[in-house]
Amino acid sequence: MDFLAEIWSRASAQLAPPEQWVVWVTGLVALAVVLYRPTWRVSRHVVTIAHEGAHAFAALVTGRRLSGIRLHSDTSGLTVSSGKPRGFGMILTALAGYVGPGLVGLGAAFMLRQGYAVGLLWLLILVLALMLLQIRNWFGLWSILVSGVVLGAVSWFASTEWQAITSYLVTWFLLLAAPRPVLELQTERRNGRARTSDADMLARLTPFPGLFWVGVFLVVTLGALALGSWWIGAWSVEHLPRF
């Protein structure tokens, strides 16, 4: 009980934002990770976790039965759910994947704006723990465990300053990374290599073509990036010392 009480005490503590240079340097670091191909190949696994987690969450909230999640070494993933093959639940489940990382990043930015940088880390650990119950392959198990251990170590052992830096870095990464898989998806579709993509599934479920849904993914992820960046930047400016 003392352990849980200590976690709650840390997670519920509101912190002032770090210095301005920390906020923007973490954003630049995250941008470099997204744009530099070698680091993107590794970090894209984080986007896949958010993508498949969003599919799973949408399936559950729409009443579908979740059967499992698989994460693969090539950064692809698969979330299996059962229920009606058409209708709102299936549409929302298919839609959630590509917009998921951006919306998670937006939610993280909101938590930072409220001062819950440490609470964000513990919430992410909880989400990973819940996902772990649905993982159905070894690489997925390894991916979730490594992510959880890293966040857990920072949340428990690191100083408050480093916890805040990690929270900002994760948030910036999710916001900045979210649009890139959408652009990659359209490249794959144009080359005829993504016939079973979420966009094409939505095209079969709705009257709108796959390109329309790629546009929706892009608008949502770019919108989340714009709003999340404004929340983070404006809040840190508001807390600058006044002279």
Side-chain angles (χ1 to χ4, degrees), residues 101-119:
L103 295 180
V104 172
L106 184 61
F110 180 78
M111 289 192 68
L112 293 182
R113 184 175 173 82
Q114 304 305 311
Y116 295 111
V118 180

Side-chain angles (χ1 to χ4, degrees), residues 18-158:
E19 296 182 39
Q20 272 278 294
W21 70 268
V22 173
V23 174
W24 298 113
V25 166
T26 53
L28 290 174
V29 170
L31 181 61
V33 170
V34 172
L35 295 180
Y36 185 50
R37 189 178 297 273
T39 54
W40 174 244
R41 282 199 296 265
V42 176
S43 62
R44 198 185 191 285
H45 289 290
V46 176
V47 180
T48 303
I49 291 172
H51 178 114
E52 299 305 328
H55 277 314
F57 178 76
L60 289 174
V61 299
T62 56
R64 298 180 61 80
R65 187 168 65 253
L66 188 60
S67 302
I69 302 171
R70 292 178 177 270
L71 306 172
H72 303 132
S73 59
D74 63 354
T75 72
S76 65
L78 177 66
T79 299
V80 179
S81 63
S82 57
K84 293 181 180 179
R86 306 188 70 85
F88 176 75
M90 191 63 208
I91 292 172
L92 187 61
T93 300
L95 175 63
Y98 278 97
V99 302
L103 295 180
V104 172
L106 184 61
F110 180 78
M111 289 192 68
L112 293 182
R113 184 175 173 82
Q114 304 305 311
Y116 295 111
V118 180
L120 170 61
L121 296 179
W122 284 109
L123 180 59
L124 292 175
I125 293 169
L126 176 61
V127 171
L128 289 172
L130 293 175
M131 286 187 67
L132 191 62
L133 300 176
Q134 293 294 332
I135 294 295
R136 296 294 183 265
N137 68 326
W138 286 110
F139 186 84
L141 179 66
W142 180 84
S143 297
I144 297 293
L145 285 176
V146 168
S147 301
V149 167
V150 170
L151 291 178
V154 172
S155 301
W156 191 255
F157 296 110

